[in-house]
Amino acid sequence: MAQKPTLWLRSEHKPNEARTPITPGTAKQLIAAGYNMTVERSGARAFADNAYADVGCGIVEEFSWRTAPSDAIIIGLKELSEDLGPFTHRHVHFAHVYKNQEGWADFLNQFNSGGGDLYDLEYLVDENGRRIAAFGYWAGYVGAAVALLQWAAQQNNTSIGALHPWASRDLLQQEVQAAIDSAGITPKAMVIGAKGRSGGGAIELCERCAIEVTKWDMEETSAGGPFDAMLDHHVMINCVFLSAPIPPFTTHAHLQSSSRVLSVISDVSCDPFSDANPLPIYNNCTTMDQPSMRVVDVESHPLDLISIDHLPSLLPVESSDEFANALLPYLLDINQLDKGVWQRAAAVFKDKCAQAQNGVKA
Ligand SMILES: NC(=O)c1ccc[n+]([C@@H]2O[C@H](COP(=O)([O-])OP(=O)(O)OC[C@H]3O[C@@H](n4cnc5c(N)ncnc54)[C@H](O)[C@@H]3O)[C@@H](O)[C@H]2O)c1
């Protein structure tokens, strides 16, 4: 078996990113398995530097990965910019360059010139092509929470303001509970995609707030929308994963129904730019600064939509735990990069690097 390399957890270059793919808990298990763990200091990470030191990690200066030993594997969560190249190490992170995003070829050419390798976290897939680590559960939990906060705000003719991370799921749930209590009535919620990761998180938040939830998945939507049943709920949380178009769950015309109870949709799936968007009632994501947009602008009964594409950032501790624990079994095998998920990710990287070198888009 190949010798175990140093795993170097870098600080995130992306501002305010508090999530991490290795927590102190998973670092401890990697060290127990014989890996040498080095962790860069970080003021943004949701876990303190000391928590890593306490389990046996070596602590080094922030952004010192470029001077790491050549055999270290540099692990982060989010992308690096091209000007940090040329990349000479083996890197693990979400690079967001394989779908020919802006600057993809220049970025990959920094690997071509440096001789390094990239194992993109989005392309760590099992033999069925399913991602082995994702942030779904807490996306659903937060997506449901923000929807209910917006619904409660509507009862006072206001809207929620800018969102900032919560320190824990309990604090978030308590805030939602207090907002519902102050509204004086209990809303009814519907979750579509209820059997998936994010659907599970959305249901947990609602049930912890004693909210009745209608749970739909493939079977219930098979007849094809628009669905009048959706309009009978105060809040709908969409958590489906679609790869091909289906009839819409609702439309602008459908939302004009005079019997509509629904006043908030939280689109956790958040895919307004895709042909497979089952909610063709909006064109742009909302943001942490402005979390909701008014889709039906009727003063007596408006409808607001929330569509934030990085919801898990709002619960960085729990999201990191979910992701890091899913990644751990594969990190334990990272000394065998020619096998399994690592080998599959390497094949995509080699293919895209060749395209970047030849100036070809696939
Ligand atoms: N907004 C965010 O920050 C954020 C974060 C993570 C994931 N996501 C997105 O959320 C979506 C769901 O992710 P996930 O990890 O929960 O996926 P998942 O695969 O775990 O679950 C998807 C669920 O959708 C169901 N489904 C598929 N087609 C359906 C249909 N036609 N009708 C009803 N149900 C249907 C599936 O049966 C499954 O239960 C994905 O599009 C993902 O990209 C968004």
Side-chain angles (χ1 to χ4, degrees):
M1 183 163 298
Q3 197 187 340
K4 300 207 165 143
T6 291
L7 306 184
W8 186 290
L9 178 64
R10 65 168 167 80
S11 185
E12 295 295 327
H13 290 262
K14 188 172 180 179
N16 303 322
E17 180 55 74
R19 293 173 295 165
T20 176
I22 301 180
T23 60
T26 62
K28 185 177 178 184
Q29 296 188 59
L30 288 161
I31 291 167
Y35 287 96
N36 181 25
M37 276 288 325
T38 298
V39 176
E40 291 185 6
R41 291 184 195 287
S42 167
R45 199 184 283 127
F47 300 87
D49 301 338
N50 283 349
Y52 289 96
D54 288 348
V55 298
C57 301
I59 307 293
V60 295
E61 283 315 302
E62 188 167 39
F63 308 136
S64 54
W65 56 267
R66 275 173 284 184
T67 58
S70 59
D71 65 340
I73 300 180
I74 315 297
I75 303 177
L77 190 72
K78 300 302 284 199
E79 63 270 17
L80 293 174
S81 66
E82 171 215 330
D83 54 17
L84 293 168
F87 301 114
T88 58
H89 293 91
R90 294 169 290 180
H91 285 263
V92 177
H93 60 259
F94 285 105
H96 306 297
V97 288
Y98 291 168
K99 293 172 192 154
N100 302 331
Q101 291 94 332
E102 201 183 333
W104 70 277
D106 292 338
F107 175 79
L108 287 174
N109 280 330
Q110 294 289 0
F111 279 92
N112 281 327
S113 57
D117 292 297
L118 171 67
Y119 299 85
D120 192 309
L121 288 167
E122 194 178 344
Y123 292 80
L124 296 185
V125 293
D126 66 17
E127 53 285 2
N128 300 316
R130 189 171 161 84
R131 275 180 53 189
I132 54 97
F135 283 105
Y137 192 84
W138 298 105
Y141 190 95
V142 176
V146 176
L148 290 164
L149 290 172
Q150 176 62 16
W151 174 84
Q154 283 176 341
Q155 309 317 302
N156 295 318
N157 298 317
T158 60
S159 273
I160 46 173
L163 299 173
H164 304 284
W166 281 271
S168 76
R169 63 194 272 192
D170 290 340
L171 288 174
L172 173 54
Q173 188 249 323
Q174 285 160 20
E175 192 172 321
V176 174
Q177 186 73 67
I180 293 169
D181 292 348
S182 71
I185 56 166
T186 306
K188 279 199 302 180
M190 171 182 251
V191 174
I192 309 187
K195 292 182 178 168
R197 281 181 284 236
S198 52
I203 291 167
E204 182 187 333
L205 183 279
C206 291
E207 293 189 340
R208 288 185 77 192
C209 293
I211 288 174
E212 187 186 324
V213 191
T214 303
K215 301 164 193 163
W216 277 19
D217 206 89
M218 300 281 281
E219 199 183 322
E220 292 81 3
T221 63
S222 59
F227 298 113
D228 291 346
M230 193 176 124
L231 305 184
D232 297 338
H233 299 78
H234 299 86
V235 166
M236 194 283 270
I237 303 127
N238 177 39
C239 297
V240 301
F241 174 73
L242 292 179
S243 46
I246 57 168
F249 293 164
T250 190
T251 61
H252 277 294
H254 184 236
L255 290 173
Q256 306 309 316
S257 164
S258 58
S259 58
R260 170 172 60 84
V261 172
L262 186 72
S263 64
V264 179
I265 295 175
S266 181
D267 190 9
V268 173
S269 305
C270 188
D271 215 358
F273 311 112
S274 154
D275 294 343
N277 176 19
L279 295 168
I281 53 172
Y282 75 109
N283 300 314
N284 273 311
C285 296
T286 60
T287 63
M288 296 296 184
D289 285 340
Q290 276 207 309
S292 72
M293 68 168 92
R294 193 133 288 185
V295 171
V296 179
D297 199 0
V298 177
E299 203 182 330
S300 56
H301 193 44
L303 185 131
D304 293 321
L305 181 123
I306 295 156
S307 180
I308 297 172
D309 65 6
H310 50 306
L311 287 165
S313 300
L314 291 170
L315 274 184
V317 174
E318 286 84 350
S319 299
S320 299
D321 275 333
E322 177 190 22
F323 192 87
N325 284 318
L327 185 61
L328 178 65
Y330 304 92
L331 282 182
L332 286 167
D333 281 342
I334 201 170
N335 56 327
Q336 301 176 72
L337 284 165
D338 55 345
K339 294 207 169 90
V341 299
W342 302 110
Q343 185 271 327
R344 283 188 279 276
V348 184
F349 169 70
K350 290 214 160 35
D351 190 34
K352 290 304 290 187
C353 273
Q355 289 171 24
Q357 198 150 37
N358 300 327
V360 180
K361 272 192 191 180

